[in-house]
Amino acid sequence: MGRWCLPDGLIDGGLCFLQTDPSGLQIFHMLSHPPPGQGGASLLVDSFYTASILSQLHPAAYNTLSNLPVPTHASGSKGTLLKPHPMPVFQHDKITGELAQVRWNNEDRGILGGQNTGFGTEQIEAWYDAARKWEEAVRSSDSEYWVQLKPGMMVIIDNWRVMHGRSGFSGERRMCGAYVGRDEWRSRLEVLKRRFENEKTTKPDDALVDPAEADKWRDGW
């Protein structure tokens, strides 16, 4: 888990995206935004929903964004030069074929055709055409969900699925947050699901068993 606490505007949100294995959850906690400060509404987009629309309306564009690897990089922070392996925008489960992850960040995209991605001229043109169609879907009013955070409010998002942004604001806001690894939170989720399922099916005789001893082996970590 990684944590941060900074005045809003100094947050380097790209680092959670620019990783070979991006964080599974992102947490945003609004600490303060005193008067006369205004604005700064948070924008959330379900990229899986938007991708499903793109696949129906523009299947060729969806296929392009699923197959052509895109280079990314970040070098704006002192001592940082991230250049993960190029990957397509849409990542699919190797077994089920279902969409598993969306990687989209205009600010940190590298040069198409660079880093040995093997892009040809026609592929580059097809990729930009697909990207325009994707942006149109992402920015449609049907895809956007806006919420105004107030001090004390927290938002937790699936970083592999939910894209985020914010509107401009005045005054000084202070935010803190954290990144949680995908394996860690999926593990905890499965543990809790099993625990509550077991509690629903517990028999009266089971009450004689020491819960601490039973939990030690039942759920994992």
Side-chain angles (χ1 to χ4, degrees):
M1 175 185 288
R3 300 180 180 87
W4 51 265
C5 186
L6 294 168
D8 198 358
L10 298 179
I11 301 170
D12 191 349
L15 295 183
C16 58
F17 158 81
L18 279 167
Q19 296 172 343
T20 301
D21 183 23
S23 58
L25 295 179
Q26 266 206 87
I27 302 170
F28 300 94
H29 186 192
M30 168 71 77
L31 298 180
S32 64
H33 190 190
Q38 295 180 331
S42 296
L43 169 63
L44 304 174
V45 174
D46 182 349
S47 64
F48 283 20
Y49 167 73
T50 311
S52 70
I53 295 176
L54 183 71
S55 68
Q56 295 175 27
L57 299 180
H58 307 288
Y62 184 92
N63 186 63
T64 295
L65 297 179
S66 297
N67 291 284
L68 295 184
V70 180
T72 53
H73 80 284
S75 57
S77 302
K78 185 177 180 180
T80 299
L81 178 56
L82 299 177
K83 296 177 65 177
H85 187 73
M87 296 183 182
V89 174
F90 300 149
Q91 302 282 312
H92 295 81
D93 187 282
K94 302 296 184 183
I95 298 176
T96 66
E98 296 179 349
L99 184 62
Q101 182 189 97
V102 173
R103 306 169 68 97
W104 186 250
N105 189 326
N106 281 323
E107 301 301 324
D108 299 312
R109 186 168 61 242
I111 300 173
L112 300 183
Q115 297 188 9
N116 300 317
T117 55
F119 273 63
T121 302
E122 293 184 358
Q123 289 177 312
I124 292 177
E125 292 177 351
W127 191 91
Y128 275 110
D129 179 67
R132 280 190 288 270
K133 290 181 171 64
W134 169 242
E135 275 286 308
E136 290 174 1
V138 168
R139 294 177 181 273
S140 70
S141 58
D142 183 53
S143 299
E144 296 182 340
Y145 175 75
W146 290 90
V147 58
Q148 183 68 57
L149 295 183
K150 298 179 180 179
M153 292 180 64
M154 179 185 296
V155 173
I156 303 174
I157 64 173
D158 181 342
N159 191 49
W160 285 25
R161 175 169 182 162
V162 179
M163 299 189 292
H164 64 91
R166 62 162 173 77
S167 64
F169 66 90
S170 61
E172 181 177 340
R173 302 199 319 173
R174 192 166 187 85
M175 302 278 292
C176 73
Y179 306 132
V180 181
R182 175 78 172 184
D183 290 342
E184 285 81 358
W185 85 265
R186 292 294 299 180
S187 170
R188 187 59 178 164
L189 176 62
E190 290 301 317
V191 167
L192 292 175
K193 286 170 60 177
R194 292 186 184 184
R195 176 167 297 173
F196 286 111
E197 288 173 357
N198 288 338
E199 289 180 357
K200 290 179 181 179
T201 58
T202 298
K203 300 177 182 179
D205 291 344
D206 293 339
L208 301 176
V209 180
D210 182 359
E213 187 65 24
D215 286 345
K216 185 186 301 181
W217 307 106
R218 183 177 62 185
D219 293 327
W221 60 275

